[in-house]
């Protein structure tokens, strides 16, 4: 999970940075000394988790979260227990009272990891003839016949459709297991092709429309058998 830290105290930032470095599933994108710096990052990057102090100059951590149209998951940190209620009213994943141990921090980020896992697919549904996809603050209804191919990009996938591209948070593995096998086939570690859209085999690529998508060596035999 991509995370950022916001805290006006250097020692507090250093401590949280050391905690983050110990957790393999966390990737620290930025460590900010105030809410304004954090806001700039959140406006330009896809962030999964914000770990922020509440009492900061110029912009409180709670006000930072309130100002965000689509805030990431949040863990609040503070030395003041009286802020706890407001933190939870903002649907924070957890609230850490300073000073906190690594074990307590790990418990909080594990909650965030579990929450992310539970919610990645809550707005995605594979039906008989179509799939619903949540992306760009919209819910798309895409029929299988509209999908040309699907491209994996780390935690995200891009659906290349007749109308354009839709990028959403999910995995190719999930789609490989849930899309109908009579229409879709995994042809590469990073691609799933719609069999009905393939027009030609060119060397180690499938031609779909004017696009060539690669065929992985381990997938080639199955692709030729099922598509051609």
């Amino acid at each position: 999970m991509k995370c950022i830290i916001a805290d006006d105290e250097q020692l507090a930032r250093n401590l949280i940075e050391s905690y983050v470095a110990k957790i393999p599933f966390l990737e620290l994108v930025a460590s900010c000394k105030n809410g304004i710096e954090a806001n700039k990052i959140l406006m330009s990057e896809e962030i999964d988790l914000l770990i922020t102090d509440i009492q900061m100059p110029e912009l409180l951590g709670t006000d930072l979260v309130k100002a965000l149209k689509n805030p990431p998951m949040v863990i609040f940190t503070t030395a003041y227990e009286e802020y706890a209620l407001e933190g939870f009213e903002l649907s924070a994943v957890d609230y850490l009272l300073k000073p906190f141990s690594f074990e307590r921090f790990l418990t909080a980020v594990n909650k965030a990891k579990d929450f992310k896992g539970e919610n990645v697919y809550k707005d995605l549904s594979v039906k008989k003839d179509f799939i619903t996809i949540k992306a760009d603050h919209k819910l798309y209804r895409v029929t299988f016949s509209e999908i040309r191919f699907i491209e994996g990009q780390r935690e995200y996938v891009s659906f290349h459709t007749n109308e354009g591209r839709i990028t959403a948070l999910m995995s190719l593995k999930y789609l490989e297991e849930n899309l109908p096998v009579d229409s879709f086939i995994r042809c590469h570690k990073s691609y799933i092709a719609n069999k009905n859209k393939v027009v030609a085999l060119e060397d180690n690529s499938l031609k779909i429309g004017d696009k060539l998508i690669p065929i992985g060596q381990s997938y080639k035999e199955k692709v030729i058998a099922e598509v051609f």
Side-chain angles (χ1 to χ4, degrees):
M1 295 190 299
K2 293 185 177 181
C3 67
I4 65 170
I5 298 165
D7 199 304
D8 61 309
E9 298 177 358
Q10 180 69 54
L11 290 177
R13 292 199 304 277
N14 291 346
L15 179 65
I16 298 172
E17 287 170 18
S18 71
Y19 286 174
V20 168
K22 295 178 182 179
I23 301 174
F25 61 81
L26 288 182
E27 176 188 343
L28 183 61
V29 174
S31 186
C32 308
K33 63 179 180 290
N34 56 53
I36 294 173
E37 279 188 11
N39 185 62
K40 289 180 182 177
I41 300 294
L42 290 163
M43 291 295 101
S44 61
E45 300 258 3
E46 288 284 348
I47 301 298
D48 299 304
L49 178 63
L50 167 63
I51 305 163
T52 180
D53 187 23
I54 292 180
Q55 190 66 33
M56 294 186 291
E58 298 185 80
L59 185 64
L60 297 178
T62 46
D63 289 339
L64 166 63
V65 174
K66 290 175 186 176
L68 295 170
K69 184 177 180 181
N70 292 288
M73 294 179 291
V74 180
I75 294 173
F76 285 116
T77 68
T78 185
Y80 304 98
E81 193 170 358
E82 60 267 26
Y83 286 111
L85 179 60
E86 184 178 8
F88 284 116
E89 285 176 346
L90 290 170
S91 300
V93 171
D94 210 338
Y95 177 98
L96 301 179
L97 190 62
K98 296 178 180 179
F100 49 87
S101 65
F102 173 71
E103 289 75 17
R104 180 66 185 88
F105 180 78
L106 180 61
T107 297
V109 296
N110 277 335
K111 284 184 187 178
K113 182 183 179 185
D114 290 343
F115 182 84
K116 181 183 179 184
E118 290 168 1
N119 285 276
V120 165
Y121 302 115
K122 71 182 180 66
D123 291 312
L124 181 147
S125 177
V126 180
K127 302 295 186 182
K128 182 180 179 181
D129 300 310
F130 67 91
I131 183 171
T132 57
I133 307 162
K134 185 176 182 182
D136 307 319
H137 317 304
K138 301 174 185 176
L139 195 61
Y140 293 88
R141 182 185 187 280
V142 183
T143 61
F144 296 144
S145 61
E146 293 179 75
I147 300 170
R148 302 167 67 195
F149 61 91
I150 305 165
E151 180 182 4
Q153 301 163 321
R154 297 185 65 181
E155 304 96 347
Y156 293 83
V157 299
S158 286
F159 293 83
H160 294 259
T161 76
N162 297 335
E163 300 298 322
R165 186 169 66 177
I166 302 170
T167 300
L169 179 63
M170 65 186 74
S171 72
L172 278 183
K173 180 175 174 58
Y174 175 86
L175 292 170
E176 182 182 15
E177 292 172 351
N178 288 275
L179 289 172
V181 295
D182 59 332
S183 296
F184 294 93
I185 188 168
R186 185 79 172 261
C187 62
H188 186 274
K189 66 179 182 179
S190 299
Y191 289 90
I192 292 174
N194 186 333
K195 298 177 185 179
N196 303 313
K197 298 291 185 178
V198 175
V199 296
L201 173 67
E202 296 187 13
D203 296 324
N204 290 313
S205 300
L206 291 175
K207 186 173 184 180
I208 298 178
D210 60 351
K211 299 289 186 182
L212 289 175
I213 64 172
I215 304 173
Q217 191 60 41
S218 61
Y219 299 92
K220 190 170 184 178
E221 185 177 341
K222 183 180 180 182
V223 169
I224 292 174
E226 293 192 16
V227 178
F228 298 94

